């Protein structure tokens, strides 16, 4: 996630300044970093997947360790492809090309689906087959993404080692995004762990709704990507125009509100209309329906939140964003534990998630509409003016 955001931000900003060489250097560094991290994650998962799963799962769920470890270790083989592909996709989007990634993802999705059917349904490979199909599809995707970059004139084999200055610039963007990612992982892991203590039926309902929520959550991510791609030119490029930047944000918020409503009602239609897609157990279905309202509320506010935070990233209001994430998720974790001790069960976890997303949305909106915002009508030197002064 943080690699994706950093790539979009750095590449889009360089291109907004018409600095193609700087954009190519940023891309080279980020491809190298993503490959290194991918190899590191591969080794880490291969060595420690089983003990980590044993420590996470309670004794009553110990039978899940073996199949889960099999899946994780196979999927770990695709970590380099996943991270390199993420950087390549973000770079292409930062170049204002959304069709190439769409076509690549469509091809990879089709390969994944065919692989799942062939390996799981016909060859009986089970969960291992699903893992192999996904891993293979991700390697196909990364090859196609890199091919697209080559066609745009970029040398993907260019080795450009990051200097201390480059790493410092990268860290300024990465830290708030990584902070958000870490706190999100901690929060979701805590909720899943606490759900496992409520019994297998509660855990099953929780996991199904997380899957549905994650599926609909990504509907809003193009809004953040759009903000990071188009805002830099309006904020810090040769065609700087704050009025147009504010208009773009308003459009993104209107689209976000619409997407949120569609995503929210689409998500809750599953437990109420077609729960058999995931389970036929009436108890699990009833538990899924009990948490459908907070799921709806969460998904409604998520796309506007992503648009607002994408705008903050484009304007590089990074210290504020990082501090806001720490406060929102720290408070959310404390509320989750309080709800758990009070016996609220699954609904408590999901209402807490809604409160976190609502807090993030409110804080970002207040920041962007304040007099301290980079969108406010005050003289701010463009990127070209900054270079001339330097």
């Amino acid at each position: 996630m943080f690699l994706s955001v950093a790539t979009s931000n750095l590449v889009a900003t360089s291109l907004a300044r018409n600095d193609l060489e700087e954009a190519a250097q940023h891309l080279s560094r980020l491809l190298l970093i993503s490959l290194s991290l991918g190899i590191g994650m591969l080794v880490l998962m291969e060595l420690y997947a089983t003990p980590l799963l044993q420590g996470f799962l309670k004794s009553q769920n110990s039978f899940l360790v073996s199949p889960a470890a099999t899946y994780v270790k196979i999927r770990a083989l695709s970590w380099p492809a996943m991270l390199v592909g993420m950087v390549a996709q973000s770079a292409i989007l930062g170049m204002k090309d959304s069709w190439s990634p769409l076509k690549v993802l469509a091809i990879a999705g089709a390969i994944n689906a065919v692989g799942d059917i062939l390996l799981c349904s016909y060859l009986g490979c089970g969960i291992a087959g699903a893992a192999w199909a996904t891993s293979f599809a991700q390697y196909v995707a990364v090859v196609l993404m890199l091919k697209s970059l080559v066609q745009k004139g970029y040398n993907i084999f260019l080795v450009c080692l990051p200097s201390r200055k480059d790493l410092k610039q990268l860290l300024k963007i990465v830290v708030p995004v990584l902070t958000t990612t870490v706190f999100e992982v901690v929060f979701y892991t805590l909720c899943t762990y606490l759900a496992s203590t409520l019994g297998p039926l509660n855990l099953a309902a929780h996991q199904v709704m997380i899957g549905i929520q994650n599926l609909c959550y990504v509907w809003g991510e193009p809004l953040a990507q759009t903000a990071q791609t188009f805002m830099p030119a309006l904020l810090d490029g040769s065609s700087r125009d704050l009025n147009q930047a504010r208009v773009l944000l308003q459009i993104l918020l209107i689209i976000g509100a619409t997407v949120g409503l569609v995503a929210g009602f689409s998500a809750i239609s599953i437990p109420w209309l077609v729960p058999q897609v995931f389970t036929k157990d009436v108890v699990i279905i009833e538990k899924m329906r009990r948490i459908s309202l907070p799921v709806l509320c969460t998904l409604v506010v998520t796309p506007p939140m992503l648009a607002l935070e994408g705008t903050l990233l484009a304007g590089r209001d990074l210290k504020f964003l990082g501090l806001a994430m720490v406060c929102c998720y720290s408070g959310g974790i404390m509320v989750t534990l309080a709800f758990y001790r009070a016996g609220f069960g699954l609904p408590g976890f999901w209402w807490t998630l809604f409160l976190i997303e609502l807090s993030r949305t409110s804080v970002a909106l207040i920041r962007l509409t304040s007099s301290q915002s980079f969108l406010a009508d005050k003289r701010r030197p463009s990127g070209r003016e900054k270079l001339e002064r330097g």
Side-chain angles (χ1 to χ4, degrees), residues 65-177:
V65 172
S66 180
T70 298
Y71 182 85
V72 169
K73 288 182 177 180
I74 295 173
R75 290 286 286 110
L77 298 174
S78 66
W79 266 105
M82 182 170 63
L83 294 185
V84 172
M86 183 185 300
V87 167
Q89 176 184 326
S90 299
I92 295 170
L93 290 171
M95 299 168 193
K96 301 182 181 180
D97 176 8
S98 59
W99 283 108
S100 296
L102 179 62
K103 288 185 285 187
V104 170
L105 293 177
I107 293 171
I111 292 173
N112 192 7
V114 171
D116 283 338
I117 294 171
L118 178 63
L119 294 175
C120 299
S121 299
Y122 288 96
L123 299 182
C125 296
I127 194 170
W132 281 116
T134 303
S135 297
F136 179 73
Q138 287 185 321
Y139 273 99
V140 172
V142 73
V143 170
L144 294 177
M145 290 287 187
L146 293 175
K147 180 182 177 182
S148 179
L149 286 173
V150 171
Q151 291 172 342
K152 294 179 183 297
Y154 290 90
N155 181 5
I156 60 173
F157 298 107
L158 174 67
V159 177
C160 189
L161 297 176
S163 64
R164 182 177 297 180
K165 180 182 178 181
D166 297 325
L167 290 174
K168 185 177 180 181
Q169 182 184 29
L170 182 62
L171 284 174
K172 286 181 179 180
I173 301 173
V174 165
V175 168
V177 181

Side-chain angles (χ1 to χ4, degrees), residues 7-17 94-95 228-230 232-233:
T7 304
S8 295
N9 194 296
L10 292 171
V11 171
T13 301
S14 296
L15 293 178
R17 297 171 180 167
M95 299 168 193
Q228 293 176 67
T229 300
F230 289 92

Side-chain angles (χ1 to χ4, degrees), residues 298-320:
T298 299
L299 288 172
V300 166
V301 301
T302 294
M305 176 198 76
L306 292 172
L308 292 166
E309 292 182 354
T311 303
L312 287 172
L313 285 167
R316 299 197 180 180
D317 196 353
L318 304 174
K319 290 182 179 179
F320 172 82

Side-chain angles (χ1 to χ4, degrees), residues 53 57 60-70 203:
L53 287 167
L57 294 169
Q60 62 265 34
N61 297 319
S62 59
F63 64 94
L64 296 174
V65 172
S66 180
T70 298
L203 178 60

